[in-house]
Amino acid sequence: MIRKYTTKTDALTTILKRKASETLDVTDKVREIIEAVKTNQDDALKQFSYQFDQYQATEFLVSPTEIKQAFELVDPALVEVMKQAWHRIYQFHEKQKNNGYIMTQAGQVMGQRVLPLDCVGVYVPGGTAAYPSTVLMDVAPAKVAGVEKIILITPPDKEGKVNPNVLVASQIAGVDQIYKVGGAHGIAALAYGTQSIPKVDKIVGPGNIYVATAKRLVYGQVDIDMIAGPSDVLIIADDSANVEWLAADLLAQAEHDTLAQAILLTDSQRIFEQISEELQKQLANLPRKAIASQSIENNGKVVLVENIEEACQIANKIAPEHLELAVLEPFAYLGQIKHAGSIFLGHYTPEVLGDYLAGPNHTLPTEGTARFYSALNVDDFVKKSSYLYYSKTALQQQITAIAHFAQAEGLQGHAQSALIRREDEQ
Ligand code: NAD
């Protein structure tokens, strides 16, 4: 049963307290896997593929024949939906593209170039479910950024087959190569390279605790996007909201996994009273009932707030991954929200719109990290490089100042590098 609170009687700290997301520490185990892949490359990949995925690997690269077969297996209507989703997601991300700039003044030119990463690895989970939507979301900003080579890895089943929806989504998104390998060993392969799998510059994409830990451990060798924890939603609802829709939205989140978090903040006594019963009613028909009910039990909360302003203040403290403003005038409150990964405005904008096809990215900061992280975006796939030119005259005007600064820092060699160019010394 979902836990109920009122801000009048319950301390905010109780309301905001969240169960530790992951107590399992697999760092030592994952470090061993990474070391083995670094040393023994494909041999280690084959051993771990058999150990963790029961796949007796002879080949990791997905062949053109396998891709062709995938298109024969996937419902053409779904292919069409994925194409439309790709178009919308791509268009949304195109707006994020930043150009470099240039500044010029007497004898000086300086600027900043924005350059795409050469090669990116996208991890697509393949353990308990397959996520073609994640393919589209993680590849779109990389493509818009202009990344030359996009490698995708995903774990296969024990026959070495990869989910056909994932393969089709990869083709729609223009992935260059797909490898059937997953888990921590797949991440290690992307970070260090093996005989079969090219080394990349950055690894993005969600995964289980082994994948997340491996990403954390290879950070520095390569860049990573973020460490994704369990998903969460926070819904702010006023009395204009439909309690059935609210329950459906909470359950859509809860069915992700037992650690997912679904919170409802409402100033409506009616909704506060009716939500538990409605959740029970809808849970009964949910195929993933076992997961969703445990998630609601563990982390679900309904809070009766004084007003929507108070709800917005609480939301900023929680910094949710997804925030739904299920209120009559959602735009009136948008300005009050400072910390949220992605915001969904009004009764006809459920979070699932954003999960699949509206345009904004669904790879979002979890566990309160929306205070300092952003949704996956085009800037994640570029780096910035500055450049500088001074003419002879322009440099002469700065030599004394440079030398002054360098000497203050005790770096005579630095000072000399400027002084040696002084006109009257040449
Ligand atoms: P996964 O691909 O992340 O992990 C499966 C792989 O883990 C296996 O193929 C195996 O290689 C490895 N593994 C399994 N047991 C292991 C062990 N004991 N030791 C070492 N390696 C082991 O797939 P998953 O397990 O289904 O997890 C996917 C996760 O990604 C879920 O938590 C899901 O909620 C999350 N997810 C998040 C988003 C998002 O946008 N935030 C989207 C999709 C999925």
Side-chain angles (χ1 to χ4, degrees):
M1 186 52 64
I2 197 157
R3 263 170 258 262
K4 289 190 166 184
Y5 302 89
T6 74
T7 52
K8 271 197 203 126
T9 54
D10 298 295
L12 201 58
T13 44
T14 314
I15 297 168
L16 300 187
K17 209 164 146 207
R18 187 179 172 154
K19 269 199 163 181
S21 70
E22 198 52 81
T23 47
L24 189 63
D25 185 358
V26 297
T27 308
D28 290 342
K29 192 175 173 190
V30 168
R31 193 174 280 124
E32 274 175 32
I33 294 173
I34 293 171
E35 282 306 315
V37 173
K38 224 168 122 179
T39 313
N40 299 323
Q41 304 189 30
D42 277 0
D43 285 345
L45 286 189
K46 285 178 185 164
Q47 181 210 319
F48 292 129
S49 290
Y50 188 64
Q51 187 177 339
F52 300 127
D53 297 315
Q54 292 76 54
Y55 170 48
Q56 192 89 56
T58 48
E59 176 64 63
F60 294 106
L61 185 67
V62 171
S63 69
T65 314
E66 287 172 278
I67 292 168
K68 195 167 160 273
Q69 282 165 354
F71 273 93
E72 285 158 13
L73 289 170
V74 177
D75 174 7
L78 179 62
V79 177
E80 206 39 52
V81 166
M82 285 201 263
K83 282 183 180 166
Q84 284 169 18
W86 170 255
H87 181 66
R88 296 173 66 98
I89 296 163
Y90 192 92
Q91 269 190 330
F92 180 85
H93 288 85
E94 270 187 312
K95 292 271 177 206
Q96 294 172 351
K97 199 161 175 169
N98 286 317
N99 294 316
Y101 58 85
I102 185 165
M103 287 164 59
T104 53
Q105 51 180 301
Q108 302 169 26
V109 181
M110 60 190 90
Q112 181 172 272
R113 292 194 301 156
V114 180
L115 300 162
L117 303 184
D118 285 343
C119 185
V120 163
V122 177
Y123 188 89
V124 177
T128 52
Y131 304 94
S133 59
T134 299
V135 177
L136 305 183
M137 293 289 177
D138 288 1
V139 175
K143 278 277 172 194
V144 171
V147 174
E148 268 174 39
K149 192 165 184 181
I150 301 176
I151 309 286
L152 185 144
I153 67 165
T154 189
D157 66 14
K158 55 177 186 284
E159 272 98 43
K161 291 207 173 70
V162 172
N163 181 282
N165 293 340
V166 166
L167 291 184
V168 167
S170 306
Q171 295 312 292
I172 291 170
V175 168
D176 295 292
Q177 281 153 6
I178 308 164
Y179 293 93
K180 34 190 164 181
V181 61
H185 51 290
I187 297 293
L190 288 176
Y192 293 97
T194 71
Q195 293 93 342
S196 302
I197 297 178
K199 174 182 163 12
V200 302
D201 298 309
K202 179 160 187 164
I203 303 172
V204 302
N208 66 12
I209 183 70
Y210 300 100
V211 171
T213 304
K215 278 173 69 182
R216 184 165 53 75
L217 291 177
V218 299
Y219 174 61
Q221 169 69 19
V222 292
D223 192 16
I224 59 167
D225 52 347
M226 60 182 103
I227 308 287
S231 198
D232 63 84
V233 70
L234 184 138
I235 305 179
I236 295 177
D238 66 12
D239 200 48
S240 70
N242 178 320
V243 78
E244 293 175 19
W245 299 2
L246 295 174
D249 293 2
L250 292 169
L251 291 176
Q253 194 60 38
E255 75 169 356
H256 268 296
D257 76 78
T258 56
L259 294 166
Q261 178 169 268
I263 297 181
L264 171 64
L265 308 179
T266 183
D267 63 353
S268 159
Q269 187 72 37
R270 171 186 64 87
I271 291 170
F272 186 67
E273 279 164 17
Q274 293 176 1
I275 191 72
S276 300
E277 198 183 325
E278 188 54 41
L279 282 168
Q280 289 308 321
K281 207 157 85 188
Q282 293 190 27
L283 257 174
N285 300 319
L286 209 60
R288 287 168 72 96
K289 177 182 173 181
I291 295 173
S293 58
Q294 208 184 321
S295 157
I296 293 286
E297 185 84 26
N298 286 346
N299 294 308
K301 294 177 179 103
V302 182
V303 185
L304 186 65
V305 293
E306 290 283 299
N307 49 46
I308 300 303
E309 283 77 9
E310 186 188 30
C312 292
Q313 286 164 19
I314 297 175
N316 284 328
K317 290 204 163 67
I318 293 176
E321 181 188 9
H322 308 98
L323 173 70
E324 283 188 12
L325 279 171
V327 297
L328 194 59
E329 302 284 358
F331 284 97
Y333 298 99
L334 182 58
Q336 294 185 31
I337 302 297
K338 275 172 66 187
H339 304 302
S342 194
I343 304 171
F344 302 84
L345 297 157
H347 301 310
Y348 293 92
T349 318
E351 187 228 299
V352 289
L353 250 179
D355 282 345
Y356 294 113
L357 49 71
N361 209 286
H362 83 191
T363 298
L364 297 166
T366 56
E367 297 188 300
T369 58
R371 290 185 63 79
F372 47 86
Y373 278 136
S374 314
L376 194 71
N377 66 82
V378 172
D379 277 345
D380 286 308
F381 296 96
V382 300
K383 64 205 171 60
K384 289 149 192 167
S385 164
S386 60
Y387 58 91
L388 184 61
Y389 165 84
Y390 265 50
S391 69
K392 184 161 95 178
T393 318
L395 180 68
Q396 296 309 306
Q397 290 162 5
Q398 298 296 344
I399 286 179
T400 307
I402 296 167
H404 215 108
F405 227 135
Q407 280 152 356
E409 292 189 348
L411 296 173
Q412 188 53 37
H414 280 58
Q416 197 54 27
S417 169
L419 290 169
I420 207 161
R421 288 174 165 79
R422 189 172 256 166
E423 270 294 275
D424 55 13
E425 289 188 7
Q426 281 176 10

